[in-house]
Amino acid sequence: EIPVFALPARSKNSNVGDDSILSILDNYENICTKYSEEHTDDPVNNTISQSLALIQILFGNATFDDPRQKSKALSTWLRFLCAKNVERDITAAKGANSCHAAIFAALSGGDMNKASSLALENGLINLSVIITHATLQASTDISIQMHSWSEYGSLQHMPLHLQRIYTLLSRDLELENSLYERSGPTYEQSLDWKRRLTMLEACTGGNIESSNQSLIASLLNKYDDDVNAGKAPPANAWYNNSRHPRVQQEKKPEECILYRLMKVFKNVEAGNSEDFLSYVVSPYGHTNDPHDTSFSFHLAAILSALQVNCKPISQSEECRLLEGYALYLINDGYWELAIYVILCTFRENNITVQDIEWKKKMAIDILCKHYPNDVDSKERREFLETKVGIPSYWFDRALSYQSESFHQQGNNNSIVDYSTNQAVAKFEATVLPTILFDGDKEKCDALVVYLEEIYDGLGESSSLSLGGLVLDYLKVSQAMLEYSLNDGLEGSDINFDDMLTKAEQIQSALPKLQEIADSDISFSPSTVPRHVTIAELESAVILLVVQLNVLKRGGLILETNKVYERYKLKALKIMSKLEYILSHRNEQVPLPSGHQAGSSIIRGKCGMEIET
């Protein structure tokens, strides 16, 4: 058995909630808020911090179980959400000597006190009084007055921002709807969906008590209607450049995580659980990097612990999310935390034997590839053994594996006399993939010499083995590199047609090797799975054929003075087919292009970093 971790769950029947999960949620929010204060221009972290504060209001703090308290807390959160952009617009308006624009900016962000102060500062005493006493009755009176001004044609002589101020004070958004329809994307440069939702809350909040809907349900239903009618900007993620319907979009913009969370609450409140947790926590909701699953991991853990009524994350979705975050941690040097992440779950009540086996395999794999037996790793091992609780024998297995990987060639030499075929099979399973993925020139040159010695005794059968095909590939590559280094050898009798024929023969032979499954190789653990090694070699041969054709036509494939840097690409150019195979082979959706899938876990200490 292995340890499996999850945040302490909140009971569905509890009105107060579990103190542990609420305390953890507080810590999350405090950390992100502090970071946001230090890095005010980081939109990703700002969105994350805002999301955690919203979760507190919607699902966390029992103080907000009273609908009135929840509505008040949401209003405060909306004002805080808009505060930075409101301050930006006020500063710009003051610079342009437009007091009306400054007052409207404050009103649009729900900051009535700021709007009243700005009016007073600019000598607009009556307007300041109206803003201060903006009751429901006052709004009705302003609406009647606006109608009268319209009938007598006075509005057309009124500055636009003053019209917007009085219209907003009358709790009417028709002018804003009209401006959005006419202005297009430029409207959103000043008023995004957050400001418009805040304005809608200010206009409808007073009428909520007479409605059968909660504030959030009423707001979202009305706002969705306005968006569908083309009257308001959609609630899309911060990184979308333009969201207006008149702008052509290559694909549908992603919905902001904040709006996703509010929709989840609306549906939960209505007794529905139609939202997929995997969609709610998707990276697209808060970052323009779809491969950054760090916050998605924490968000899934929080919402699962809070027992938020969504359609649960599936087994394959959980595996992909955990592995994605683990890869990020490994790339940042925190392989011990990656092991902990792999051992976490969001489905504590539905965990299966298959889940346990997958977690165990992944955790051991990471440890085998990344655990160095040195002084610096003492604390990491102590963390994994004492706090995480992984067995001590895993570390012995990791060291044994690394010793086998790095010193296997010497062992191979000692058994060649006993069984050449056995030596070749063991070499292909343990040493060859590492050198192939490394791509280092000196290692590849030594590999050619070693393989030639081995395959001298195998004759024609060498062309039917992985090592034999790698040998043929490296020989052609060596000849091509030597030719390119010397800008074409004078008097060279190099025959590109023969080299192309050899490359094509390698291509033809590789599919036959794919028929030999990983399970048919008895040497475990292998440095890289056999099917991945073959796919890497196949991609490299495809590139080789392209380069040979370029040279045959008189072109160049290497830049002057950068030969070795080009040769040592850390891998033989990972291509799309390899990226697909590196993803979960039993899943329907491959890892996105551009992300190095399981490469860090696969290569680890036994390989090299990949240049992307």
Side-chain angles (χ1 to χ4, degrees), residues 331-548:
N331 288 333
D332 286 342
Y334 299 105
W335 56 265
E336 75 281 12
L337 295 181
I339 293 175
Y340 166 74
V341 165
I342 288 293
L343 298 177
C344 291
T345 184
F346 316 123
R347 302 177 300 111
E348 189 176 13
N349 297 327
N350 299 307
I351 196 164
T352 65
V353 174
Q354 186 179 3
D355 291 323
I356 297 295
E357 289 302 316
W358 179 83
K359 289 178 180 297
K360 181 178 180 180
K361 180 181 182 300
M362 291 295 296
I364 292 176
D365 193 36
I366 295 172
L367 191 65
C368 285
K369 308 298 172 59
H370 296 277
Y371 171 63
N373 188 21
D374 54 27
V375 177
D376 294 335
S377 294
K378 183 178 180 181
E379 291 185 5
R380 301 190 186 200
R381 176 167 181 168
E382 183 178 355
F383 164 76
L384 289 172
E385 284 186 316
T386 59
K387 294 187 176 181
V388 177
I390 69 172
S392 298
Y393 74 86
W394 284 13
F395 294 92
D396 298 330
R397 180 173 177 178
L399 295 176
S400 174
Y401 162 69
Q402 292 171 17
S403 176
E404 179 181 86
S405 296
F406 285 113
H407 304 294
Q408 190 59 50
Q409 187 161 328
N411 295 337
N412 277 8
N413 291 332
S414 67
I415 63 173
V416 166
D417 294 335
Y418 172 73
S419 173
T420 303
N421 287 325
Q422 185 180 356
V424 169
K426 194 168 182 66
F427 182 82
E428 288 181 357
T430 56
V431 180
L432 183 60
T434 297
I435 300 176
L436 183 63
F437 273 96
D438 186 352
D440 184 85
K441 184 180 185 303
E442 292 182 2
K443 290 183 180 179
C444 287
D445 289 343
L447 179 61
V448 170
V449 175
Y450 181 75
L451 289 176
E452 284 180 334
E453 292 177 357
I454 290 289
Y455 287 110
D456 278 346
L458 294 177
E460 292 297 324
S461 62
S462 64
S463 62
L464 302 178
S465 66
L466 177 59
L469 294 178
V470 170
L471 176 60
D472 291 340
Y473 163 76
L474 290 177
K475 283 183 175 180
V476 176
S477 296
Q478 280 183 330
M480 183 185 70
L481 178 62
E482 185 178 358
Y483 180 86
S484 300
L485 278 169
N486 294 280
D487 295 326
L489 297 173
E490 294 185 7
S492 173
D493 59 352
I494 188 169
N495 190 320
F496 288 109
D497 290 330
D498 289 347
M499 296 172 72
L500 283 167
T501 299
K502 176 59 72 174
E504 290 164 0
Q505 289 173 347
I506 299 172
Q507 279 184 288
S508 300
L510 284 172
K512 298 176 183 177
L513 294 181
Q514 285 285 20
E515 297 173 2
I516 304 176
D518 292 327
S519 58
D520 297 333
I521 306 299
S522 59
F523 307 105
S524 178
S526 61
T527 308
V528 180
R530 182 181 178 85
H531 65 277
V532 175
T533 305
I534 294 173
E536 177 81 341
L537 179 58
E538 186 174 8
S539 296
V541 175
I542 292 172
L543 180 61
L544 178 64
V545 171
V546 173
Q547 292 172 329
L548 286 172

Side-chain angles (χ1 to χ4, degrees), residues 249-304:
Q249 300 280 353
E250 293 183 4
K251 61 178 182 178
K252 184 180 178 181
E254 294 291 339
E255 194 172 55
C256 179
I257 176 63
L258 304 175
Y259 207 74
R260 297 184 192 196
L261 289 169
M262 286 189 281
K263 285 173 66 175
V264 169
F265 178 81
K266 183 191 79 168
N267 292 329
V268 169
E269 198 175 39
N272 300 326
S273 58
E274 59 187 45
D275 299 287
F276 287 88
L277 181 59
S278 57
Y279 173 74
V280 177
V281 305
S282 169
Y284 288 106
H286 63 274
T287 176
N288 55 353
D289 180 1
H291 308 309
D292 183 358
T293 58
S294 52
F295 179 59
S296 297
F297 166 83
H298 295 290
L299 185 59
I302 291 170
L303 295 179
S304 298

Side-chain angles (χ1 to χ4, degrees), residues 17 19 49 82 84 111 130 156 218 226 242 253 274 289 300-301 345 384 408 415 495 505-506 512 520 559 593 612:
D19 289 339
S49 179
C82 301
K84 186 182 299 183
D111 194 340
I130 292 173
Q156 61 183 331
S218 177
D226 289 342
S242 180
E274 59 187 45
D289 180 1
T345 184
L384 289 172
Q408 190 59 50
I415 63 173
N495 190 320
Q505 289 173 347
I506 299 172
K512 298 176 183 177
D520 297 333
E559 292 180 7
S593 176
T612 57

Side-chain angles (χ1 to χ4, degrees), residues 90 94 99 102-103 106 113-124:
I90 290 175
K94 286 182 176 180
C99 63
I103 295 168
N113 292 333
K114 184 69 173 179
S116 177
S117 298
L118 287 169
L120 195 61
E121 288 174 10
N122 288 275
L124 304 174

Side-chain angles (χ1 to χ4, degrees), residues 565-582:
E565 285 73 8
R566 286 231 171 210
Y567 189 88
K568 294 168 66 174
L569 287 176
K570 310 283 180 148
L572 301 176
K573 286 296 181 185
I574 309 297
M575 296 186 178
S576 58
K577 182 174 181 179
L578 176 60
E579 292 205 358
Y580 174 80
I581 292 178
L582 282 173

